[in-house]
Amino acid sequence: NNFMPNVKEIIDLMGGRVNKKEEELINKAYEFAKKTHEGQKRLSGEPYFTHAFETAKILTHMNMDTQTIVAGFLHDVLEDTKTSKEQLKREFGSAVASIVEGVTKKIALKTTPEDRAENIRKVLLATIKDIRVILLKLADRLHNMRTLKFLPQEQQREIARETLEVYVPVAYKLGMYRVKSELEDLCLRFLEPGIYQELKARISMKKEEREREVKKVVAAVKRLIEDNNIPAAVAGRAKNFYGIYKKMLAKKIPFEDVRDLSAIRVITTSTENCYKALNAIHSKWTPILNRFDDYIANPKPNMYQSLHTEVLFEGKPVE
């Protein structure tokens, strides 16, 4: 397995976002990381450098700036190679050096569930000087979770638990739903392998197909809302495995009873328009009995307010 990933892949992914100088810096970081990690292997047998590369690639997909992507290549050199912070500063500038240093700092996390909030706060505080540190930490963790199967089981569970308790909420707080969903599903795979495999088999409809369906519903709802002259933004998502699993737990129901595998959100300008939108939706699609919650009249404990309903769209329930 001596496949060496090519830096061109990253440059191409960045498209027109980089100038010549930035491209040179990325090339330099690629070569530097490749050289300093030479001979180091991951448990998968792959060269350690592949992890640095994949982390940089995730950051590229997140549309991060050049400095963060460069730091992605270099994020383990302080810890795992003879490189010093001074050397990084000299070669790549002080911003990159301090991002790498921020990621290298181990944050002592407490282990009891009660300390969850404290842990999340620690992670966020540790990076208050530069939010890019936390984005790099998330990318690093995401690639580690994607390759977790090579670790011994006890370690898999430990890392998955920490990910679920610290990194998932951090991604959620930063509004990074794609990262949050993938991390959650990967955690489920290692913490509840039986349930994960069963869900995977049951939800045979691929996420892409579900996302296509969601787009169809979103378009129909948009038209309806516009026809009723209600100012609103409409968005939708196909639920991830973990979301479905949580619903089964919370409602103590088997998979068969989780019918709403996609969720549409309508955000409008006033409470009055919320009820108007609801009315329009109920007039067009049959609402499902006992599947309506008015959190505007009865807010949740955290003051969350909205209307939840489920309707039949082409014979399928949509939330």
Side-chain angles (χ1 to χ4, degrees):
N1 196 350
N2 286 330
F3 167 70
M4 262 300 163
N6 191 336
V7 68
K8 202 175 155 327
E9 196 184 341
I10 303 254
I11 307 278
D12 291 346
L13 269 176
M14 291 182 83
R17 286 190 295 152
V18 279
N19 58 36
K20 260 282 151 270
K21 216 173 149 189
E22 292 176 298
E23 205 172 303
E24 278 162 21
L25 199 64
I26 288 170
N27 269 311
K28 186 174 163 187
Y30 168 89
E31 293 299 341
F32 188 92
K34 197 161 82 173
K35 202 170 105 218
T36 51
H37 286 300
E38 205 170 359
Q40 298 177 349
K41 291 243 187 292
R42 301 197 87 203
L43 286 173
S44 62
E46 286 189 307
Y48 193 87
F49 172 70
T50 53
H51 169 66
F53 182 87
E54 290 299 328
T55 303
K57 188 162 140 189
I58 290 169
L59 291 164
T60 311
H61 278 299
M62 288 179 183
N63 289 326
M64 292 308 297
D65 63 320
T66 300
Q67 285 176 333
T68 315
I69 291 167
V70 165
F73 275 118
L74 306 168
H75 76 274
D76 279 327
V77 299
L78 286 183
E79 197 174 357
D80 296 342
T81 73
K82 294 189 173 64
T83 313
S84 68
K85 187 183 176 188
E86 279 53 57
Q87 192 182 353
L88 273 189
K89 220 181 195 152
R90 233 183 8 256
E91 303 271 343
F92 300 99
S94 54
V96 168
S98 76
I99 295 173
V100 173
E101 188 185 38
V103 170
T104 306
K105 277 204 190 97
K106 284 281 169 276
I107 302 165
L109 299 171
K110 299 191 185 135
T111 46
T112 63
E114 292 75 66
D115 295 315
R116 271 179 66 175
E118 175 64 17
N119 283 338
I120 295 160
R121 212 167 56 238
K122 265 190 192 158
V123 171
L124 289 172
L125 278 176
T127 56
I128 210 97
K129 289 196 293 294
D130 194 335
I131 186 70
R132 295 177 296 183
V133 172
I134 196 100
L135 299 172
L136 176 41
K137 265 188 186 298
L138 282 169
D140 174 38
R141 180 56 60 118
L142 183 54
H143 185 250
N144 279 332
M145 287 299 300
R146 283 176 182 172
T147 51
L148 199 58
K149 59 172 179 286
F150 298 106
L151 290 183
Q153 200 180 357
E154 204 24 63
Q155 243 175 314
Q156 288 177 351
R157 296 181 65 82
E158 212 171 294
I159 292 170
R161 245 192 310 268
E162 182 190 68
T163 302
L164 205 49
E165 290 188 355
V166 181
Y167 291 90
V168 164
V170 166
Y172 177 68
K173 280 193 165 54
L174 295 173
M176 303 178 71
Y177 296 107
R178 261 237 218 58
V179 174
K180 169 190 169 282
S181 300
E182 190 182 342
L183 285 176
E184 283 178 333
D185 284 356
L186 286 165
C187 290
L188 187 63
R189 181 178 153 190
F190 293 103
L191 292 172
E192 300 283 0
I195 293 172
Y196 177 82
Q197 293 305 337
E198 187 181 347
L199 279 178
K200 205 171 149 179
R202 295 275 181 101
I203 307 169
S204 51
M205 204 166 143
K206 290 282 170 292
K207 199 153 185 208
E208 290 84 65
E209 286 174 50
R210 286 179 23 232
E211 274 164 0
R212 260 204 307 280
E213 292 229 327
V214 168
K215 280 201 180 86
K216 197 160 92 181
V217 185
V218 167
V221 173
K222 255 193 187 130
R223 273 198 303 278
L224 176 72
I225 300 288
E226 277 166 15
D227 292 346
N228 283 277
N229 296 321
I230 303 164
V234 182
R237 62 189 171 85
K239 288 190 178 161
N240 63 332
F241 290 172
Y242 188 77
I244 296 163
Y245 166 65
K246 267 202 347 207
K247 187 149 219 172
M248 287 163 61
L249 278 188
K251 301 208 159 164
K252 298 188 174 60
I253 52 176
F255 176 81
E256 290 74 38
D257 295 356
V258 182
R259 295 178 316 226
D260 44 326
L261 296 183
S262 50
I264 310 293
R265 180 172 290 153
V266 178
I267 300 179
T268 176
T269 50
S270 65
T271 304
E272 189 191 352
N273 279 330
C274 284
Y275 288 104
K276 270 190 190 154
L278 177 80
N279 191 24
I281 287 166
H282 279 183
S283 308
K284 183 160 170 84
W285 295 291
T286 311
I288 298 169
L289 231 62
N290 303 333
R291 288 298 212 166
F292 172 68
D293 288 300
D294 187 335
Y295 293 114
I296 291 178
N298 305 298
K300 287 188 176 182
N302 65 355
M303 297 317 290
Y304 168 89
Q305 287 182 284
S306 79
L307 303 168
H308 285 198
T309 188
E310 275 183 47
V311 298
L312 281 176
F313 181 90
E314 297 181 353
K316 288 201 185 96
V318 174
E319 185 183 331

